[in-house]
Amino acid sequence: MPEQPPHEIIIASTEEEVQQCYQVRIDVFHHEQRFPLDTEIDYLDPIATHFLLRLTPSLTPIGVIRGSRSPSTGSYKLSRLAVLKEYRQYHFGRKLVEALHAWIKADAQQSGGQTTSGSVRVVCHSQIPVKGFYAK
Ligand SMILES: CC(C)(COP(=O)(O)OP(=O)(O)OC[C@H]1O[C@@H](n2cnc3c(N)ncnc32)[C@H](O)[C@@H]1OP(=O)(O)O)[C@@H](O)C(=O)NCCC(=O)NCCS
């Protein structure tokens, strides 16, 4: 693996940071992968927690992931994971998933979202070419 450029992962807490998350998604899912623009922002966005990976010290946004908890089932959802093309294979995707896992653990403990066995259900729909990434 090439050496990771200096970076940080934050939870987007301002409108500007949330917009930066949307922009990374639009670059990857719309411009690169040709998914329609009008379905990119969906019903989960207003209730989701948005993670932003950015280079330091420039604070250039380069990656995102989104986590949400279903109020009805208590299960969590991982969605909209994306790393800009020129920053792939640095293990940034893995780091974003790990950051989301840590947040889910903390959130489940706080909100009583765990099952009696102490586990939490996390769902994720994968694009077929990315199944190998999620398997790892
Ligand atoms: C999927 C994505 C986020 C992976 O990001 P990344 O930073 O390149 O991945 P990582 O470097 O963290 O990869 C972690 C491991 O998974 C492997 N991997 C990465 N992409 C893979 C793929 N498509 N298939 C199989 N393995 C993959 C890496 O080789 C690495 O293996 P290693 O631990 O043995 O070195 C990135 O390719 C992306 O943004 N793709 C476009 C958007 C997309 O498809 N999002 C997912 C929608 S379901």
Side-chain angles (χ1 to χ4, degrees), residues 82-97:
V83 173
L84 294 184
K85 201 166 190 174
E86 57 270 42
Y87 291 102
R88 294 191 191 144
Q89 298 296 325
Y90 285 101
H91 280 179
F92 283 145
R94 175 191 290 269
K95 272 198 148 177
L96 282 161
V97 172

mmCIF file with all atom_site columns, all heavy atoms in Angstrom, residues 82-97:
data_model
loop_
_atom_site.group_PDB
_atom_site.id
_atom_site.type_symbol
_atom_site.label_atom_id
_atom_site.label_alt_id
_atom_site.label_comp_id
_atom_site.label_asym_id
_atom_site.label_entity_id
_atom_site.label_seq_id
_atom_site.pdbx_PDB_ins_code
_atom_site.Cartn_x
_atom_site.Cartn_y
_atom_site.Cartn_z
_atom_site.occupancy
_atom_site.B_iso_or_equiv
_atom_site.pdbx_formal_charge
_atom_site.auth_seq_id
_atom_site.auth_comp_id
_atom_site.auth_asym_id
_atom_site.auth_atom_id
_atom_site.pdbx_PDB_model_num
ATOM 1   N N   . ALA A 1 82 ? -17.597 6.489  -0.355  1.00 0.00 ? 82 ALA A N   1
ATOM 2   C CA  . ALA A 1 82 ? -16.902 6.891  -1.585  1.00 0.00 ? 82 ALA A CA  1
ATOM 3   C C   . ALA A 1 82 ? -15.559 7.550  -1.255  1.00 0.00 ? 82 ALA A C   1
ATOM 4   O O   . ALA A 1 82 ? -15.457 8.326  -0.307  1.00 0.00 ? 82 ALA A O   1
ATOM 5   C CB  . ALA A 1 82 ? -17.763 7.866  -2.390  1.00 0.00 ? 82 ALA A CB  1
ATOM 6   N N   . VAL A 1 83 ? -14.562 7.220  -2.064  1.00 0.00 ? 83 VAL A N   1
ATOM 7   C CA  . VAL A 1 83 ? -13.247 7.858  -1.985  1.00 0.00 ? 83 VAL A CA  1
ATOM 8   C C   . VAL A 1 83 ? -12.929 8.365  -3.391  1.00 0.00 ? 83 VAL A C   1
ATOM 9   O O   . VAL A 1 83 ? -13.116 7.619  -4.378  1.00 0.00 ? 83 VAL A O   1
ATOM 10  C CB  . VAL A 1 83 ? -12.169 6.843  -1.516  1.00 0.00 ? 83 VAL A CB  1
ATOM 11  C CG1 . VAL A 1 83 ? -10.775 7.460  -1.589  1.00 0.00 ? 83 VAL A CG1 1
ATOM 12  C CG2 . VAL A 1 83 ? -12.472 6.342  -0.102  1.00 0.00 ? 83 VAL A CG2 1
ATOM 13  N N   . LEU A 1 84 ? -12.487 9.596  -3.505  1.00 0.00 ? 84 LEU A N   1
ATOM 14  C CA  . LEU A 1 84 ? -12.163 10.135 -4.833  1.00 0.00 ? 84 LEU A CA  1
ATOM 15  C C   . LEU A 1 84 ? -11.151 9.221  -5.531  1.00 0.00 ? 84 LEU A C   1
ATOM 16  O O   . LEU A 1 84 ? -10.243 8.678  -4.895  1.00 0.00 ? 84 LEU A O   1
ATOM 17  C CB  . LEU A 1 84 ? -11.580 11.551 -4.719  1.00 0.00 ? 84 LEU A CB  1
ATOM 18  C CG  . LEU A 1 84 ? -12.504 12.650 -4.192  1.00 0.00 ? 84 LEU A CG  1
ATOM 19  C CD1 . LEU A 1 84 ? -11.790 14.006 -4.245  1.00 0.00 ? 84 LEU A CD1 1
ATOM 20  C CD2 . LEU A 1 84 ? -13.822 12.706 -4.965  1.00 0.00 ? 84 LEU A CD2 1
ATOM 21  N N   . LYS A 1 85 ? -11.308 9.084  -6.840  1.00 0.00 ? 85 LYS A N   1
ATOM 22  C CA  . LYS A 1 85 ? -10.535 8.103  -7.614  1.00 0.00 ? 85 LYS A CA  1
ATOM 23  C C   . LYS A 1 85 ? -9.024  8.182  -7.356  1.00 0.00 ? 85 LYS A C   1
ATOM 24  O O   . LYS A 1 85 ? -8.354  7.168  -7.170  1.00 0.00 ? 85 LYS A O   1
ATOM 25  C CB  . LYS A 1 85 ? -10.827 8.313  -9.102  1.00 0.00 ? 85 LYS A CB  1
ATOM 26  C CG  . LYS A 1 85 ? -10.527 7.121  -9.935  1.00 0.00 ? 85 LYS A CG  1
ATOM 27  C CD  . LYS A 1 85 ? -11.152 7.276  -11.308 1.00 0.00 ? 85 LYS A CD  1
ATOM 28  C CE  . LYS A 1 85 ? -11.045 5.963  -12.058 1.00 0.00 ? 85 LYS A CE  1
ATOM 29  N NZ  . LYS A 1 85 ? -11.741 5.982  -13.310 1.00 0.00 ? 85 LYS A NZ  1
ATOM 30  N N   . GLU A 1 86 ? -8.489  9.394  -7.322  1.00 0.00 ? 86 GLU A N   1
ATOM 31  C CA  . GLU A 1 86 ? -7.027  9.516  -7.198  1.00 0.00 ? 86 GLU A CA  1
ATOM 32  C C   . GLU A 1 86 ? -6.508  9.174  -5.811  1.00 0.00 ? 86 GLU A C   1
ATOM 33  O O   . GLU A 1 86 ? -5.306  9.105  -5.595  1.00 0.00 ? 86 GLU A O   1
ATOM 34  C CB  . GLU A 1 86 ? -6.554  10.912 -7.638  1.00 0.00 ? 86 GLU A CB  1
ATOM 35  C CG  . GLU A 1 86 ? -7.167  12.087 -6.916  1.00 0.00 ? 86 GLU A CG  1
ATOM 36  C CD  . GLU A 1 86 ? -8.454  12.609 -7.582  1.00 0.00 ? 86 GLU A CD  1
ATOM 37  O OE1 . GLU A 1 86 ? -9.293  11.772 -8.005  1.00 0.00 ? 86 GLU A OE1 1
ATOM 38  O OE2 . GLU A 1 86 ? -8.623  13.838 -7.645  1.00 0.00 ? 86 GLU A OE2 1
ATOM 39  N N   . TYR A 1 87 ? -7.430  8.936  -4.851  1.00 0.00 ? 87 TYR A N   1
ATOM 40  C CA  . TYR A 1 87 ? -6.998  8.603  -3.488  1.00 0.00 ? 87 TYR A CA  1
ATOM 41  C C   . TYR A 1 87 ? -7.384  7.181  -3.092  1.00 0.00 ? 87 TYR A C   1
ATOM 42  O O   . TYR A 1 87 ? -7.407  6.855  -1.913  1.00 0.00 ? 87 TYR A O   1
ATOM 43  C CB  . TYR A 1 87 ? -7.560  9.627  -2.489  1.00 0.00 ? 87 TYR A CB  1
ATOM 44  C CG  . TYR A 1 87 ? -6.917  10.973 -2.664  1.00 0.00 ? 87 TYR A CG  1
ATOM 45  C CD1 . TYR A 1 87 ? -7.578  12.007 -3.333  1.00 0.00 ? 87 TYR A CD1 1
ATOM 46  C CD2 . TYR A 1 87 ? -5.624  11.195 -2.208  1.00 0.00 ? 87 TYR A CD2 1
ATOM 47  C CE1 . TYR A 1 87 ? -6.967  13.232 -3.528  1.00 0.00 ? 87 TYR A CE1 1
ATOM 48  C CE2 . TYR A 1 87 ? -5.007  12.419 -2.398  1.00 0.00 ? 87 TYR A CE2 1
ATOM 49  C CZ  . TYR A 1 87 ? -5.684  13.431 -3.055  1.00 0.00 ? 87 TYR A CZ  1
ATOM 50  O OH  . TYR A 1 87 ? -5.068  14.636 -3.246  1.00 0.00 ? 87 TYR A OH  1
ATOM 51  N N   . ARG A 1 88 ? -7.683  6.320  -4.059  1.00 0.00 ? 88 ARG A N   1
ATOM 52  C CA  . ARG A 1 88 ? -8.026  4.929  -3.731  1.00 0.00 ? 88 ARG A CA  1
ATOM 53  C C   . ARG A 1 88 ? -6.769  4.098  -3.496  1.00 0.00 ? 88 ARG A C   1
ATOM 54  O O   . ARG A 1 88 ? -5.678  4.480  -3.886  1.00 0.00 ? 88 ARG A O   1
ATOM 55  C CB  . ARG A 1 88 ? -8.881  4.332  -4.856  1.00 0.00 ? 88 ARG A CB  1
ATOM 56  C CG  . ARG A 1 88 ? -10.200 5.071  -4.873  1.00 0.00 ? 88 ARG A CG  1
ATOM 57  C CD  . ARG A 1 88 ? -11.250 4.441  -5.737  1.00 0.00 ? 88 ARG A CD  1
ATOM 58  N NE  . ARG A 1 88 ? -12.333 5.431  -5.837  1.00 0.00 ? 88 ARG A NE  1
ATOM 59  C CZ  . ARG A 1 88 ? -13.080 5.652  -6.897  1.00 0.00 ? 88 ARG A CZ  1
ATOM 60  N NH1 . ARG A 1 88 ? -12.910 4.902  -7.967  1.00 0.00 ? 88 ARG A NH1 1
ATOM 61  N NH2 . ARG A 1 88 ? -14.009 6.577  -6.887  1.00 0.00 ? 88 ARG A NH2 1
ATOM 62  N N   . GLN A 1 89 ? -6.993  2.951  -2.841  1.00 0.00 ? 89 GLN A N   1
ATOM 63  C CA  . GLN A 1 89 ? -5.919  1.991  -2.540  1.00 0.00 ? 89 GLN A CA  1
ATOM 64  C C   . GLN A 1 89 ? -4.957  2.504  -1.456  1.00 0.00 ? 89 GLN A C   1
ATOM 65  O O   . GLN A 1 89 ? -3.850  1.992  -1.316  1.00 0.00 ? 89 GLN A O   1
ATOM 66  C CB  . GLN A 1 89 ? -5.134  1.606  -3.809  1.00 0.00 ? 89 GLN A CB  1
ATOM 67  C CG  . GLN A 1 89 ? -5.999  0.904  -4.857  1.00 0.00 ? 89 GLN A CG  1
ATOM 68  C CD  . GLN A 1 89 ? -6.555  -0.453 -4.395  1.00 0.00 ? 89 GLN A CD  1
ATOM 69  O OE1 . GLN A 1 89 ? -5.896  -1.179 -3.678  1.00 0.00 ? 89 GLN A OE1 1
ATOM 70  N NE2 . GLN A 1 89 ? -7.791  -0.761 -4.762  1.00 0.00 ? 89 GLN A NE2 1
ATOM 71  N N   . TYR A 1 90 ? -5.362  3.534  -0.707  1.00 0.00 ? 90 TYR A N   1
ATOM 72  C CA  . TYR A 1 90 ? -4.576  4.004  0.444   1.00 0.00 ? 90 TYR A CA  1
ATOM 73  C C   . TYR A 1 90 ? -5.164  3.488  1.763   1.00 0.00 ? 90 TYR A C   1
ATOM 74  O O   . TYR A 1 90 ? -4.825  3.968  2.810   1.00 0.00 ? 90 TYR A O   1
ATOM 75  C CB  . TYR A 1 90 ? -4.578  5.531  0.508   1.00 0.00 ? 90 TYR A CB  1
ATOM 76  C CG  . TYR A 1 90 ? -3.703  6.241  -0.492  1.00 0.00 ? 90 TYR A CG  1
ATOM 77  C CD1 . TYR A 1 90 ? -4.239  6.819  -1.638  1.00 0.00 ? 90 TYR A CD1 1
ATOM 78  C CD2 . TYR A 1 90 ? -2.327  6.370  -0.260  1.00 0.00 ? 90 TYR A CD2 1
ATOM 79  C CE1 . TYR A 1 90 ? -3.446  7.513  -2.540  1.00 0.00 ? 90 TYR A CE1 1
ATOM 80  C CE2 . TYR A 1 90 ? -1.524  7.057  -1.157  1.00 0.00 ? 90 TYR A CE2 1
ATOM 81  C CZ  . TYR A 1 90 ? -2.090  7.626  -2.298  1.00 0.00 ? 90 TYR A CZ  1
ATOM 82  O OH  . TYR A 1 90 ? -1.291  8.311  -3.188  1.00 0.00 ? 90 TYR A OH  1
ATOM 83  N N   . HIS A 1 91 ? -6.135  2.594  1.674   1.00 0.00 ? 91 HIS A N   1
ATOM 84  C CA  . HIS A 1 91 ? -6.876  2.103  2.838   1.00 0.00 ? 91 HIS A CA  1
ATOM 85  C C   . HIS A 1 91 ? -7.771  3.172  3.466   1.00 0.00 ? 91 HIS A C   1
ATOM 86  O O   . HIS A 1 91 ? -8.122  3.077  4.639   1.00 0.00 ? 91 HIS A O   1
ATOM 87  C CB  . HIS A 1 91 ? -5.935  1.495  3.896   1.00 0.00 ? 91 HIS A CB  1
ATOM 88  C CG  . HIS A 1 91 ? -5.527  0.087  3.551   1.00 0.00 ? 91 HIS A CG  1
ATOM 89  N ND1 . HIS A 1 91 ? -4.681  -0.660 4.311   1.00 0.00 ? 91 HIS A ND1 1
ATOM 90  C CD2 . HIS A 1 91 ? -5.887  -0.711 2.502   1.00 0.00 ? 91 HIS A CD2 1
ATOM 91  C CE1 . HIS A 1 91 ? -4.511  -1.854 3.748   1.00 0.00 ? 91 HIS A CE1 1
ATOM 92  N NE2 . HIS A 1 91 ? -5.231  -1.894 2.652   1.00 0.00 ? 91 HIS A NE2 1
ATOM 93  N N   . PHE A 1 92 ? -8.112  4.194  2.689   1.00 0.00 ? 92 PHE A N   1
ATOM 94  C CA  . PHE A 1 92 ? -9.038  5.210  3.201   1.00 0.00 ? 92 PHE A CA  1
ATOM 95  C C   . PHE A 1 92 ? -10.451 4.642  3.305   1.00 0.00 ? 92 PHE A C   1
ATOM 96  O O   . PHE A 1 92 ? -11.191 4.974  4.223   1.00 0.00 ? 92 PHE A O   1
ATOM 97  C CB  . PHE A 1 92 ? -9.030  6.448  2.302   1.00 0.00 ? 92 PHE A CB  1
ATOM 98  C CG  . PHE A 1 92 ? -7.837  7.343  2.500   1.00 0.00 ? 92 PHE A CG  1
ATOM 99  C CD1 . PHE A 1 92 ? -7.276  8.017  1.423   1.00 0.00 ? 92 PHE A CD1 1
ATOM 100 C CD2 . PHE A 1 92 ? -7.284  7.527  3.759   1.00 0.00 ? 92 PHE A CD2 1
ATOM 101 C CE1 . PHE A 1 92 ? -6.178  8.854  1.596   1.00 0.00 ? 92 PHE A CE1 1
ATOM 102 C CE2 . PHE A 1 92 ? -6.182  8.363  3.946   1.00 0.00 ? 92 PHE A CE2 1
ATOM 103 C CZ  . PHE A 1 92 ? -5.633  9.025  2.853   1.00 0.00 ? 92 PHE A CZ  1
ATOM 104 N N   . GLY A 1 93 ? -10.840 3.794  2.337   1.00 0.00 ? 93 GLY A N   1
ATOM 105 C CA  . GLY A 1 93 ? -12.165 3.177  2.420   1.00 0.00 ? 93 GLY A CA  1
ATOM 106 C C   . GLY A 1 93 ? -12.298 2.366  3.693   1.00 0.00 ? 93 GLY A C   1
ATOM 107 O O   . GLY A 1 93 ? -13.281 2.457  4.428   1.00 0.00 ? 93 GLY A O   1
ATOM 108 N N   . ARG A 1 94 ? -11.265 1.575  3.985   1.00 0.00 ? 94 ARG A N   1
ATOM 109 C CA  . ARG A 1 94 ? -11.256 0.770  5.215   1.00 0.00 ? 94 ARG A CA  1
ATOM 110 C C   . ARG A 1 94 ? -11.364 1.673  6.453   1.00 0.00 ? 94 ARG A C   1
ATOM 111 O O   . ARG A 1 94 ? -12.128 1.392  7.373   1.00 0.00 ? 94 ARG A O   1
ATOM 112 C CB  . ARG A 1 94 ? -9.942  -0.016 5.271   1.00 0.00 ? 94 ARG A CB  1
ATOM 113 C CG  . ARG A 1 94 ? -9.736  -0.798 6.560   1.00 0.00 ? 94 ARG A CG  1
ATOM 114 C CD  . ARG A 1 94 ? -8.312  -1.307 6.623   1.00 0.00 ? 94 ARG A CD  1
ATOM 115 N NE  . ARG A 1 94 ? -8.070  -2.365 5.646   1.00 0.00 ? 94 ARG A NE  1
ATOM 116 C CZ  . ARG A 1 94 ? -8.243  -3.674 5.909   1.00 0.00 ? 94 ARG A CZ  1
ATOM 117 N NH1 . ARG A 1 94 ? -8.618  -4.058 7.098   1.00 0.00 ? 94 ARG A NH1 1
ATOM 118 N NH2 . ARG A 1 94 ? -8.016  -4.569 4.983   1.00 0.00 ? 94 ARG A NH2 1
ATOM 119 N N   . LYS A 1 95 ? -10.593 2.762  6.441   1.00 0.00 ? 95 LYS A N   1
ATOM 120 C CA  . LYS A 1 95 ? -10.613 3.663  7.608   1.00 0.00 ? 95 LYS A CA  1
ATOM 121 C C   . LYS A 1 95 ? -11.990 4.281  7.819   1.00 0.00 ? 95 LYS A C   1
ATOM 122 O O   . LYS A 1 95 ? -12.431 4.485  8.950   1.00 0.00 ? 95 LYS A O   1
ATOM 123 C CB  . LYS A 1 95 ? -9.576  4.790  7.420   1.00 0.00 ? 95 LYS A CB  1
ATOM 124 C CG  . LYS A 1 95 ? -8.206  4.433  7.917   1.00 0.00 ? 95 LYS A CG  1
ATOM 125 C CD  . LYS A 1 95 ? -7.395  5.685  8.115   1.00 0.00 ? 95 LYS A CD  1
ATOM 126 C CE  . LYS A 1 95 ? -6.420  5.497  9.272   1.00 0.00 ? 95 LYS A CE  1
ATOM 127 N NZ  . LYS A 1 95 ? -5.546  6.645  9.466   1.00 0.00 ? 95 LYS A NZ  1
ATOM 128 N N   . LEU A 1 96 ? -12.666 4.596  6.723   1.00 0.00 ? 96 LEU A N   1
ATOM 129 C CA  . LEU A 1 96 ? -14.012 5.178  6.847   1.00 0.00 ? 96 LEU A CA  1
ATOM 130 C C   . LEU A 1 96 ? -14.979 4.151  7.437   1.00 0.00 ? 96 LEU A C   1
ATOM 131 O O   . LEU A 1 96 ? -15.798 4.481  8.296   1.00 0.00 ? 96 LEU A O   1
ATOM 132 C CB  . LEU A 1 96 ? -14.496 5.667  5.475   1.00 0.00 ? 96 LEU A CB  1
ATOM 133 C CG  . LEU A 1 96 ? -13.888 6.995  5.031   1.00 0.00 ? 96 LEU A CG  1
ATOM 134 C CD1 . LEU A 1 96 ? -14.030 7.199  3.518   1.00 0.00 ? 96 LEU A CD1 1
ATOM 135 C CD2 . LEU A 1 96 ? -14.532 8.174  5.768   1.00 0.00 ? 96 LEU A CD2 1
ATOM 136 N N   . VAL A 1 97 ? -14.873 2.890  6.984   1.00 0.00 ? 97 VAL A N   1
ATOM 137 C CA  . VAL A 1 97 ? -15.740 1.845  7.545   1.00 0.00 ? 97 VAL A CA  1
ATOM 138 C C   . VAL A 1 97 ? -15.432 1.670  9.041   1.00 0.00 ? 97 VAL A C   1
ATOM 139 O O   . VAL A 1 97 ? -16.342 1.539  9.865   1.00 0.00 ? 97 VAL A O   1
ATOM 140 C CB  . VAL A 1 97 ? -15.567 0.515  6.775   1.00 0.00 ? 97 VAL A CB  1
ATOM 141 C CG1 . VAL A 1 97 ? -16.316 -0.614 7.477   1.00 0.00 ? 97 VAL A CG1 1
ATOM 142 C CG2 . VAL A 1 97 ? -16.067 0.658  5.346   1.00 0.00 ? 97 VAL A CG2 1
#
